[in-house]
Structures are given as structure tokens and as C-alpha cells.
């Protein structure tokens, strides 16, 4: 089995498959913690939700990028990806907590693009910080 994973094509397919499945699961978790339905809102043309969701997708994918670069095994890569996702989720809750004058979820659901853009930027920016900490671990 170890010889099989030495093949770069098999290894790439494995990293890709696990990362895509993890992104799908993580997006489902994000769906549970938001007050709105991401995909219904995107279907309606809600740009703020699209920005916030795109930032989450990019953020998680970027964390997996750093995790793949740093780790030798698929299991280690997945473990660091999960840790990074939990940190991104905590950042989302901190964003809500640090804006007591309005509810982030309500503003994004109401297509407040400024809030959606900031949510996207937070996800992207912090994914680089999380990724850098994975590389240095």
C-alpha cells in the first residue's frame, strides 16, 4: 500500500479527494451555524452570502494547501485541515462577537455586501495565518 502512495498521480488523487470531501463536510457545518441557507440565498442572487461562502471555501482550501505541503501522510494532512477549519469557525464566531452593533448573520442574509466582503476577507486572511502556523509546526 505504501508503494501505491509513492506514485504522484495516486497521491494527488488522494489529496484531492480527501480535501474536496472535507470542504463539503465543512461547508455543511458552516450551514448549520448560520441563520440563513447558503445555497438558497446564493440561488436568489445574494452577493453577500456568495462572498462569505466563497471566502470559507477559499480559506479551507488554502489551509489544506499548507497542510499538504507540510505533512507526509494523508491522515496528518486531514488532521491539520480539521484543526484549521475549527480555527476558522472560531474566527467566524469572534467576528459576530466583535460586532455588537449588528448581527453578522442578519446583515449577510440581508445582502449587506460590505459585511459579506469583510467575512470573506477574514476567512482568506486567517487561512494564511493558520497555514503559516501549520508550516512552522
Amino acid at each position: 500500500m505504501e508503494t501505491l502512495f509513492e506514485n504522484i498521480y495516486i497521491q494527488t488523487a488522494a489529496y484531492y479527494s480527501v480535501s474536496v470531501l472535507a470542504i463539503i463536510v465543512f461547508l455543511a457545518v458552516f450551514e448549520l451555524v448560520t441563520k440563513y441557507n447558503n445555497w438558497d440565498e446564493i440561488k436568489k442572487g445574494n452577493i453577500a452570502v456568495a462572498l462569505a461562502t466563497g471566502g470559507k471555501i477559499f480559506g479551507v482550501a488554502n489551509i489544506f494547501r499548507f497542510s499538504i505541503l507540510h505533512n507526509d501522510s494523508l491522515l496528518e494532512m486531514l488532521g491539520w485541515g480539521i484543526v484549521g477549519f475549527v480555527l476558522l469557525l472560531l474566527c467566524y464566531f469572534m467576528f459576530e462577537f466583535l460586532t455588537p452593533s449588528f448581527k453578522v448573520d442578519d446583515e449577510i442574509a440581508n445582502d449587506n455586501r460590505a459585511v459579506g466582503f469583510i467575512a470573506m476577507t477574514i476567512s482568506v486572511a486567517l487561512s494564511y495565518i493558520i497555514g503559516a502556523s501549520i508550516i512552522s509546526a
Side-chain angles (χ1 to χ4, degrees):
M1 187 69 150
E2 193 171 304
T3 308
L4 184 64
F5 279 106
E6 288 177 7
N7 182 315
I8 191 68
Y9 300 109
I10 301 295
Q11 191 178 44
T12 299
Y15 284 142
Y16 171 82
S17 300
V18 169
S19 296
V20 168
L21 287 173
I23 288 170
I24 291 168
V25 169
F26 296 161
L27 282 176
V29 172
F30 271 124
E31 185 84 30
L32 292 173
V33 300
T34 57
K35 294 179 183 176
Y36 51 86
N37 183 309
N38 289 322
W39 304 111
D40 285 347
E41 290 296 322
I42 290 170
K43 186 177 177 182
K44 291 180 204 173
N46 187 325
I47 300 295
V49 172
L51 288 168
T53 303
K56 292 169 189 168
I57 292 168
F58 182 91
V60 170
N62 194 39
I63 288 168
F64 273 104
R65 170 192 172 272
F66 281 102
S67 184
I68 290 167
L69 288 173
H70 177 264
N71 294 292
D72 295 326
S73 76
L74 195 62
L75 194 56
E76 278 183 301
M77 182 270 300
L78 181 59
W80 278 111
I82 291 169
V83 168
F85 166 73
V86 169
L87 291 172
L88 275 183
L89 192 60
L90 288 173
C91 294
Y92 186 78
F93 291 130
M94 286 188 334
F95 180 35
E96 185 77 61
F97 177 75
L98 293 172
T99 55
S101 60
F102 62 88
K103 299 276 186 201
V104 172
D105 273 355
D106 292 342
E107 293 298 320
I108 291 174
N110 291 328
D111 201 15
N112 183 332
R113 294 170 189 179
V115 176
F117 180 75
I118 293 298
M120 177 189 75
T121 305
I122 288 170
S123 294
V124 170
L126 291 177
S127 75
Y128 278 97
I129 293 168
I130 294 165
S133 70
I134 290 171
I135 292 289
S136 68

